[in-house]
Amino acid sequence: MVPAEPVATRVHILSSGARTEEQRLDCLRLIRSENVGPRTFHELVRYYGGVQPALVALPGLARRGGSARLPRICSREQAEAELKAARAVGVEFFTLGEPDYPARLRMIDDPPPVVTLRGKLEALARPLIAIVGSRNASAASIRFAERLARDLGNAGFTVVSGLARGIDAAAHRASLGTGTLAVLAGGHDRIYPAEHIELLEEILVEGAAISEMPFAWEPRAHDFPRRNRLISGLSLGVVVVEAARRSGSLITARFAGEQGREVFAVPGSPLDPRSEGTNGLLKQGAIPVTEAADVIAAIEPILGRGLSLPSAQEPSQESLASSGVPAGDDERSRLVALLGPTPISIDDLVRLARTSATNVRSVLLELEIAGRIERHGAGLVSLL
Amino acid sequence: MVPAEPVATRVHILSSGARTEEQRLDCLRLIRSENVGPRTFHELVRYYGGVQPALVALPGLARRGGSARLPRICSREQAEAELKAARAVGVEFFTLGEPDYPARLRMIDDPPPVVTLRGKLEALARPLIAIVGSRNASAASIRFAERLARDLGNAGFTVVSGLARGIDAAAHRASLGTGTLAVLAGGHDRIYPAEHIELLEEILVEGAAISEMPFAWEPRAHDFPRRNRLISGLSLGVVVVEAARRSGSLITARFAGEQGREVFAVPGSPLDPRSEGTNGLLKQGAIPVTEAADVIAAIEPILGRGLSLPSAQEPSQESLASSGVPAGDDERSRLVALLGPTPISIDDLVRLARTSATNVRSVLLELEIAGRIERHGAGLVSLL
């Protein structure tokens, strides 16, 4: 059994705590407006000091930016209509900073300002582990994904996946009883693929579905990589079971790396092109997985440390980011000792320092601010 | 194309340079005597200051050790008979320290004092890479081993293997044209398995067979792990293509790790028990291999550095071990920066420091002598 999920240790400019319905509507209006994605949302709020002033400034901003026509700004009525329609089928709205907003997701860069959830909220309270892979998976990999999902479910994890055909569906199905989380590329009212509507109903019994898109949003091609960012952002780690050379699962793995999540890959024969992607991940340093114990062994220390962190629910209103829980002197010097002029991956640092990814990020932030480290691409850092 | 093999950087108590036939006979007598293996050989020579005095001391030593009967000491006549019979079929004898003794092999702990070679000596002048695996290998792995051996052969390597059934035979066969080295568990006159006598003849055209055992030695079970030590000791790295849980190839991989050689493993499906061993190696940090380029990418930097080392042919007579070529200050501080209180594997150090295993070992030795590092099991070291 793995212990429960640690509390978040970073906050964003959105205040922590409950939201009035008015505040929630404003958040929804801003993120549902044309040309506003999570990154722009946070930049606007930071620049104008809040969601309301950002909404007010939006039209003038577009004009000054040289927009030929005014971008569509989500009206109060449209936002209310979405809330009403979605809530009618049991969808809940969580804005960033609210206590029920997913704990790990708030730690990523530019977290979604609003996520919508249908099903059992409790499924998110347990440690989340993603299992993803090809849609046209081999029978052997489907079988392996089922075994892994069942074992990780029984060990206390909620299995996260993308509701796609192949590996995703196998992972969800094998963890229906222990709770599984489907991350949607579209809205809750536009389940894709349609053949998985029944599977989703089964998922909702003990698990949940989550989305950052409008209730009635029909997913388009580029919504799937965006969905993948959510899959990794929600989870402690991502297990890629099978992936060909240019598989979408590799995008999830890349996000996981950037977000400081553990990346796991299931090895496969070099003669099988469907394993090219996972074997490539192994060459880049992903942790090999042949059984659930491999995942648990890598995640347990992170959780164990995470649990001992004090609660971080009390940052002040509109406080800026990065008020991390400070790492001990001991950990700091251990990390500095591990660092050198040769770039090393943050993943390796976490592993070698035997501490949590959160602590490592926090120490790196201090060192960065002190001008003592250099960040390279691909999650590599070195001492200056 | 990879460049040629670097020269040795460590010498042992046996002097470097040519041998008289008399000296060669003494070496052969000592190592062919009962209860004398390579380790005991070197201890005796070190303790008595030479091979001749050790031979003289042997009977008294056994008596004082409480031996019920005198151990069989190889007579001059017996040694001469072996030399004569072996040379009649083209077998050459190389004692440790002679210029033609294999370069990498002299760097391992307790190198065989005498090795015997049949075939083309030139095959040992190129960089050696071992390809090993199960005897009852899958067809897919046989095919992969062939492809890998052919590609590495064409890239300029001599492929080393154990002449066993399965992967070994496939690796030898695919590199017959570019030169391959068969490492024997018995003597040159007792080829095992007998069905590979024809294969060996083909190997000898461009390649060679090597053994540390007496010419007429029938291999017994425990001679195979001993043969595996030679396979890894001769090579820059060992590629394990397929290995079940308790495969002998894992012994070769363990020796390779202990000897500071690169360990490579070919990934396989977790549902295939014949890949359990190789996947286990990946979990322990072996470099994943799906094509020859993976091996070349890891070996080339080692060779590149190795080539720039000055020749180490001139150490004095009977000099003691460890007169390594000193690493530069730059490399030393880079390595120290990479070390910390958390044990790290020497393999990882080599990779992270982007230097040769030889340089890493040399710096570690200095640090060890300075009392600054601690060695743990399994090739792990930490800074004190």
Side-chain angles (χ1 to χ4, degrees), chain A residues 139-141 143-144 147 266-271 279 282-283 288-291 294 333-334 336-344 348 351-354, chain B residues 139-141 143-144 147 266-271 279 282-283 288-291 294 333-334 336-344 348 351-354:
Chain A
S141 288
R143 198 147 56 91
F144 180 82
R147 187 203 286 176
V266 178
S269 165
L271 297 173
N279 286 340
L282 292 177
K283 292 182 195 177
V289 170
T290 62
E291 53 182 346
D294 299 322
S333 55
R334 195 135 42 94
V336 173
L338 284 168
L339 281 163
T342 304
I344 181 171
D348 282 343
R351 209 161 314 133
L352 292 169
R354 292 163 202 267
Chain B
S141 288
R143 200 146 55 91
F144 181 82
R147 186 203 286 177
V266 177
S269 164
L271 298 173
N279 286 339
L282 291 178
K283 292 183 196 177
V289 170
T290 63
E291 51 181 347
D294 299 323
S333 54
R334 194 135 43 92
V336 172
L338 284 167
L339 282 164
T342 306
I344 182 172
D348 282 342
R351 212 161 312 132
L352 292 169
R354 291 162 202 269

Side-chain angles (χ1 to χ4, degrees), chain A residues 134 242-246 269-278:
Chain A
S134 331
E242 191 176 75
R245 192 198 290 257
R246 305 165 75 88
S269 165
L271 297 173
D272 183 352
R274 283 179 295 199
S275 294
E276 221 171 305
T278 42

Side-chain angles (χ1 to χ4, degrees), chain A residues 83-149:
Chain A
L83 277 173
K84 193 174 167 205
R87 282 172 175 164
V89 296
V91 172
E92 296 180 89
F93 288 72
F94 300 116
T95 58
L96 181 64
E98 283 188 280
D100 285 336
Y101 185 96
R104 293 250 147 201
L105 192 59
R106 77 175 72 172
M107 297 187 222
I108 71 172
D109 285 343
D110 304 314
V114 178
V115 293
T116 59
L117 189 98
R118 199 174 155 216
K120 297 280 183 296
L121 183 56
E122 307 88 75
L124 273 86
R126 283 178 295 149
L128 303 181
I129 186 86
I131 299 179
V132 299
S134 331
R135 289 189 300 276
N136 58 344
S138 67
S141 288
I142 294 276
R143 198 147 56 91
F144 180 82
E146 286 169 351
R147 187 203 286 176
L148 186 69

Side-chain angles (χ1 to χ4, degrees), chain A residues 133-137 142 164-168 192 227 242 247-249:
Chain A
S134 331
R135 289 189 300 276
N136 58 344
I142 294 276
R165 299 184 183 99
I167 298 295
D168 286 23
Y192 179 89
R227 185 265 324 261
E242 191 176 75
S247 164
S249 307

Side-chain angles (χ1 to χ4, degrees), chain A residues 88-370:
Chain A
V89 296
V91 172
E92 296 180 89
F93 288 72
F94 300 116
T95 58
L96 181 64
E98 283 188 280
D100 285 336
Y101 185 96
R104 293 250 147 201
L105 192 59
R106 77 175 72 172
M107 297 187 222
I108 71 172
D109 285 343
D110 304 314
V114 178
V115 293
T116 59
L117 189 98
R118 199 174 155 216
K120 297 280 183 296
L121 183 56
E122 307 88 75
L124 273 86
R126 283 178 295 149
L128 303 181
I129 186 86
I131 299 179
V132 299
S134 331
R135 289 189 300 276
N136 58 344
S138 67
S141 288
I142 294 276
R143 198 147 56 91
F144 180 82
E146 286 169 351
R147 187 203 286 176
L148 186 69
R150 193 181 52 240
D151 291 349
L152 289 175
N154 287 333
F157 284 96
T158 290
V159 172
V160 181
S161 200
L163 200 68
R165 299 184 183 99
I167 298 295
D168 286 23
H172 285 307
R173 282 207 176 91
S175 56
L176 287 173
T178 52
T180 177
L181 179 64
V183 184
L184 309 177
H188 289 279
D189 201 30
R190 293 287 188 281
I191 296 310
Y192 179 89
E195 71 197 67
H196 283 170
I197 288 177
E198 263 181 64
L199 172 59
L200 185 68
E201 291 304 321
E202 295 181 77
I203 286 171
L204 297 180
V205 176
E206 294 295 331
I210 194 167
S211 169
E212 61 170 315
M213 305 309 284
F215 181 60
W217 188 265
E218 187 79 54
R220 297 153 310 170
H222 66 261
D223 294 324
F224 291 91
R226 186 169 171 178
R227 185 265 324 261
N228 293 353
R229 189 180 86 107
L230 219 61
I231 290 178
S232 55
L234 284 157
S235 309
L236 290 153
V238 172
V239 186
V240 184
V241 174
E242 191 176 75
R245 192 198 290 257
R246 305 165 75 88
S247 164
S249 307
L250 300 180
I251 299 175
T252 316
R254 185 166 55 76
F255 281 128
E258 289 171 5
Q259 293 163 347
R261 306 297 190 252
E262 297 289 345
V263 179
F264 301 92
V266 178
S269 165
L271 297 173
D272 183 352
R274 283 179 295 199
S275 294
E276 221 171 305
T278 42
N279 286 340
L281 290 174
L282 292 177
K283 292 182 195 177
Q284 291 160 44
I287 302 172
V289 170
T290 62
E291 53 182 346
D294 299 322
V295 176
I296 294 168
I299 293 291
E300 227 167 12
I302 300 176
L303 278 181
R305 293 293 184 124
L307 273 178
S308 67
L309 292 175
S311 167
Q313 303 277 34
E314 57 301 302
S316 63
Q317 284 278 103
E318 310 284 301
S319 72
L320 276 164
S322 86
S323 73
V325 170
D329 283 344
D330 192 38
E331 276 180 336
R332 186 175 301 104
S333 55
R334 195 135 42 94
L335 269 165
V336 173
L338 284 168
L339 281 163
T342 304
I344 181 171
S345 83
I346 297 176
D347 281 359
D348 282 343
L349 271 180
V350 173
R351 209 161 314 133
L352 292 169
R354 292 163 202 267
T355 180
S356 71
T358 307
N359 282 357
V360 169
R361 274 205 310 277
S362 146
V363 170
L364 288 180
L365 201 60
E366 294 169 10
L367 293 174
E368 195 174 18
I369 284 165

Side-chain angles (χ1 to χ4, degrees), chain B residues 237-314:
Chain B
V238 173
V239 185
V240 185
V241 174
E242 192 176 78
R245 192 197 291 256
R246 305 166 76 88
S247 163
S249 305
L250 300 179
I251 298 176
T252 316
R254 184 165 57 73
F255 281 128
E258 290 171 5
Q259 293 163 347
R261 305 298 191 251
E262 297 290 345
V263 180
F264 301 92
V266 177
S269 164
L271 298 173
D272 183 352
R274 281 179 295 198
S275 294
E276 221 171 305
T278 43
N279 286 339
L281 290 174
L282 291 178
K283 292 183 196 177
Q284 292 160 43
I287 301 172
V289 170
T290 63
E291 51 181 347
D294 299 323
V295 176
I296 294 168
I299 293 291
E300 227 167 12
I302 300 176
L303 277 182
R305 295 293 186 126
L307 273 178
S308 69
L309 292 174
S311 166
Q313 303 275 34
E314 58 300 304

